[in-house]
Amino acid sequence: MNLEQLFNIQWDLDQKIRDTHNLENQILTEQKILALQVELGELANETRCFKYWSTKAPSATDVILEEYVDGLHFVLSLGLDFHYNEAHEGLSSLLDEDTSSSSAGDKQAQTEAFARLFDHISAFSQDINEDHYAMLFQSYMDLAKALGFKFTQIEDAYLEKNKVNHERQAQGY
């Protein structure tokens, strides 16, 4: 996954949103953290991994992947806000190109990955620093593994959703 490219693309979208909505001098950290938590909840809901009381199958893989990249937009955006993107090479070292995981499809492993990620978001929210961001970022990538996504899939889906997000801004979303 080319993180430098993804950070640059996210910067363009963030700038478009700031310009369009007159947010140039606004600090949006709390909104972005809450948005990430909401997107993560929507993703968990689509996977149904925690719904021990239900036999209904998870949503289609493309739906789950789209929810995943919705959250990735906010993970990248938070990194940009604090210039943690400048350490993208360090973040890239956290990526293991072999994202296949024996836990892919394992509801318990997915539930645990979601719980760890919520914990790391909370830790980042309470003490914003590069180490907490790196843990948040790593746990977001670990969730991808638990969901069985390849980084090439994630990158392709991110690029597609980013186009949609730009179109939405142009249409007054």
Side-chain angles (χ1 to χ4, degrees):
M1 188 166 7
N2 184 340
L3 286 181
E4 183 175 10
Q5 176 190 20
L6 296 185
F7 275 118
N8 288 336
I9 291 168
Q10 185 62 46
W11 187 90
D12 290 342
L13 178 61
D14 286 356
Q15 201 54 47
K16 180 179 237 176
I17 291 169
R18 284 185 175 282
D19 292 346
T20 302
H21 297 280
N22 248 351
L23 301 169
E24 205 53 50
N25 296 315
Q26 299 277 334
I27 296 172
L28 303 171
T29 305
E30 288 182 11
Q31 290 89 334
K32 289 179 183 184
I33 289 170
L34 178 58
L36 175 57
Q37 291 169 324
V38 168
E39 292 298 343
L40 191 57
E42 290 176 2
L43 174 58
N45 200 45
E46 294 298 339
T47 70
R48 305 183 59 79
C49 64
F50 65 96
K51 295 186 176 189
Y52 61 87
W53 60 88
S54 177
T55 58
K56 185 177 174 185
S59 295
T61 301
D62 60 327
V63 171
I64 294 171
L65 181 56
E66 183 174 347
E67 291 294 342
Y68 181 87
V69 299
D70 284 348
L72 182 57
H73 278 83
F74 292 106
V75 171
L76 294 171
S77 187
L78 286 164
L80 287 164
D81 285 351
F82 298 98
H83 306 285
Y84 300 146
N85 61 303
E86 294 168 5
H88 66 81
E89 289 164 1
L91 293 174
S92 292
S93 71
L94 299 174
L95 301 176
D96 176 1
E97 283 306 318
D98 177 32
T99 59
S100 61
S101 171
S102 60
S103 65
D106 178 342
K107 289 182 177 186
Q108 184 61 35
Q110 291 174 0
T111 300
E112 290 169 2
F114 276 108
R116 273 191 308 277
L117 182 50
F118 273 112
D119 287 346
H120 288 146
I121 294 168
S122 179
F124 177 76
S125 176
Q126 292 171 22
D127 183 17
I128 294 173
N129 64 57
E130 194 167 352
D131 288 339
H132 283 143
Y133 181 76
M135 289 188 303
L136 185 162
F137 184 88
Q138 179 65 61
S139 63
Y140 208 77
M141 295 302 112
D142 289 346
L143 178 60
K145 294 175 187 178
L147 296 173
F149 294 136
K150 302 267 186 225
F151 290 138
T152 53
Q153 282 179 285
I154 295 166
E155 188 169 14
D156 291 345
Y158 174 87
L159 295 172
E160 280 303 310
K161 186 60 184 259
N162 192 270
K163 288 178 192 174
V164 170
N165 288 340
H166 276 282
E167 291 168 5
R168 287 177 172 173
Q169 289 304 308
Q171 297 169 355
Y173 181 72

